[in-house]
Amino acid sequence: MKNFLISFILAAVVCSFYSVTFANEKPGPDEKPRVIVVSDGEVDDQCSLVRFLLYANEWDIEGIITTSSQYHWQGHNWAGDNWAQPYLQAYARVQPNLVKHDPRYPSAEYLQARTLPGNVKAEGEMDDVTPGSELIVKVLLDESDNRPVWLQAWGGTNTIARALKTVEEKHPEKMEYVANKLRFFFIWEQDPTYQEYIRPHWGKYQILTIISDQFWAIAYEWKRIQPAEMLPYFEAAWMNEHILKNHGPLTALYKAHAEGSYGLLGDTDFNVGDFRSEGDSPAFLYTINTGLGNPESPDWGSWGGRYVQVRDNTWLDPVPVAGYIYPEGRWYTGSAWGRNSMREGTQTTKEQRLEYFKPIWRWSDVLQNDFAARADWSVKSFEEANHPPRVKVAHSTIKAKPGEKVRLSAHGTTDPDGDKLQYRWWQYQEAGSYKGVIEIESANDQDAFFTLPKDAPRGTSIHLVAEVTDSGTPALTRYQRVIVDIE
């Protein structure tokens, strides 16, 4: 009876913690995002799905849909129509423990009901109406929920294109309504349907569209991209201790390097147990509410990378080459700068590549520690595991004049485990329009300050980040951003 009461009280505390945070919130950056995944089932998609399921509490998952791509379709390098099933079945086994850490984890039955086949017969096939395309249509037309829907293409965009064509053909009067809900995050354009159908027919609605190439930082060739200080977080010793062994059936399915596996470009210097690839993970890392980013502002930067507006409302990877001209068509294996920079004979430098992929690799240690904590949640009690701090700042926006002293405060920041907290205030220089360097005083304290240079141009902005890391194991980090507008 005593153990029952302790468990009951603990569950009540956990539920209260999350309900206070998330109940009755107005739409905004703290809102739980809605996501639909379309995936071709490649091995790195399977690795990404393990991580995705461990973060299933962070979103309202509207669909997990199998699609084709230029690399995979039925009968060609195909993982099978039901490739996701072993992972969903393993999730069903760990979900009862995951909810001890956050009651928002969906049931396995909920996810199963939304895991459907899409357009898989061939690369770019979008003629057939499929269960997956119909689910997308249903979600987009549902006027009882007007929240944005992030459509993540881990594979081709053809199932998304088929859904949008159905809307255009059967509900043309709803196209603007649907477009206002849509947000796209594509891991490359892995078939031609975005250029051939979506962009010509839906481009007038200016749908926020992110197309990522910097995902390579955590894809097959991570060893050639990650800086030396980040490499240990991807190597076998770390992966075995924190992910692959003794963390339950879901992470046991994670397809790290095995005998005979190799990097996409033919490298053979990987060890058994090394991280293999999660090229699709930036699509959902981008929408995790860490306090760092704003999904509606791709140039702010987040765990999923940082992007620049290239045309209309289309955002691609910042290329560190003066005068670089982005291609008008597809951003994919044949044209994307980062992928081409790793090919033999290209006129790029190691320093340029490091800068190009930095928007993702800069978070590698934090990302992997966070992944390790989620793996712990699969098997440990709330008391045994670590949980991230909740960062609070006095002001998220500040107006200041040149020469003025600006005070920063993270008072009210808490940790659910009572861990000691380490503070770091820093300037996210790439995200702000003010390109000078700010000297932050007491940058490692809860309260900090700086003085705006007297020559700071009016109308520019400075992005500052309150980064807070706890003393738990593994150490976990969360953020809040402060934007200083110079008057």
Side-chain angles (χ1 to χ4, degrees), residues 184-444:
F184 292 142
F185 196 119
F186 302 153
I187 301 298
W188 280 347
E189 298 171 58
Q190 295 185 46
D191 67 32
T193 56
Y194 175 71
Q195 297 293 336
E196 293 179 357
Y197 172 73
I198 298 175
R199 192 176 168 192
H201 290 251
W202 292 79
K204 62 184 177 182
Y205 296 111
Q206 298 291 304
I207 298 165
L208 193 157
T209 302
I210 300 169
I211 308 173
S212 179
D213 175 53
Q214 59 196 262
F215 70 82
W216 271 98
I218 53 173
Y220 296 100
E221 293 301 315
W222 56 267
K223 196 170 261 193
R224 297 176 60 189
I225 294 171
Q226 294 282 336
E229 67 269 22
M230 297 296 186
L231 291 177
Y233 292 93
F234 297 87
E235 293 171 350
W238 191 95
M239 291 292 294
N240 281 319
E241 178 181 355
H242 296 286
I243 305 297
L244 303 177
K245 296 182 178 180
N246 304 315
H247 283 87
L250 180 55
T251 58
L253 293 175
Y254 192 92
K255 292 188 175 180
H257 273 291
E259 292 289 348
S261 64
Y262 54 89
L264 192 61
L265 300 184
D267 290 341
T268 57
D269 59 343
F270 292 103
N271 297 311
V272 172
D274 278 356
F275 178 96
R276 186 181 293 191
S277 177
E278 288 187 39
D280 302 293
S281 293
F284 62 81
L285 292 172
Y286 183 82
T287 55
I288 295 174
N289 181 16
T290 64
L292 180 64
N294 178 351
E296 301 295 323
S297 301
D299 55 340
W300 280 23
S302 73
W303 282 2
R306 197 181 72 83
Y307 304 88
V308 293
Q309 191 170 10
V310 171
R311 58 177 176 268
D312 303 325
N313 203 8
T314 300
W315 302 73
L316 305 180
D317 312 85
V319 175
V321 176
Y324 177 80
I325 299 174
Y326 289 86
E328 283 296 321
R330 287 171 70 181
W331 190 244
Y332 75 125
T333 184
S335 63
W337 188 91
R339 178 65 180 89
N340 283 332
S341 76
M342 293 185 289
R343 291 190 166 104
E344 291 185 11
T346 57
Q347 300 300 311
T348 60
T349 67
K350 182 178 179 181
E351 290 73 25
Q352 286 175 325
R353 289 193 296 272
L354 200 65
E355 182 66 21
Y356 181 82
F357 293 111
K358 183 180 178 180
I360 286 182
W361 68 248
R362 70 187 306 161
W363 318 110
S364 291
D365 51 350
V366 173
L367 282 174
Q368 291 297 83
N369 278 339
D370 216 78
F371 186 22
R374 297 297 174 120
D376 284 346
W377 291 11
S378 298
V379 293
K380 293 183 178 181
S381 68
F382 190 93
E383 301 96 326
E384 294 172 311
N386 195 21
H387 307 84
R390 297 197 59 81
V391 185
K392 183 178 180 180
V393 292
H395 304 284
S396 58
T397 58
I398 297 173
K399 295 185 182 298
K401 294 180 172 59
E404 185 177 339
K405 179 181 285 189
V406 178
R407 298 188 180 278
L408 308 167
S409 177
H411 271 287
T413 296
T414 59
D415 186 87
D417 307 303
D419 294 331
K420 292 181 179 179
L421 299 176
Q422 178 180 343
Y423 295 82
R424 183 168 81 96
W425 292 90
W426 54 277
Q427 179 187 1
Y428 200 155
Q429 197 168 357
E430 299 93 331
S433 56
Y434 174 74
K435 297 308 178 184
V437 176
I438 297 298
E439 297 294 334
I440 303 174
E441 302 290 339
S442 302
N444 294 323

Side-chain angles (χ1 to χ4, degrees), residues 452-467:
L452 270 177
K454 292 181 180 180
D455 61 352
R458 289 174 170 82
T460 59
S461 64
I462 300 169
H463 285 233
L464 302 165
V465 176
E467 178 179 298

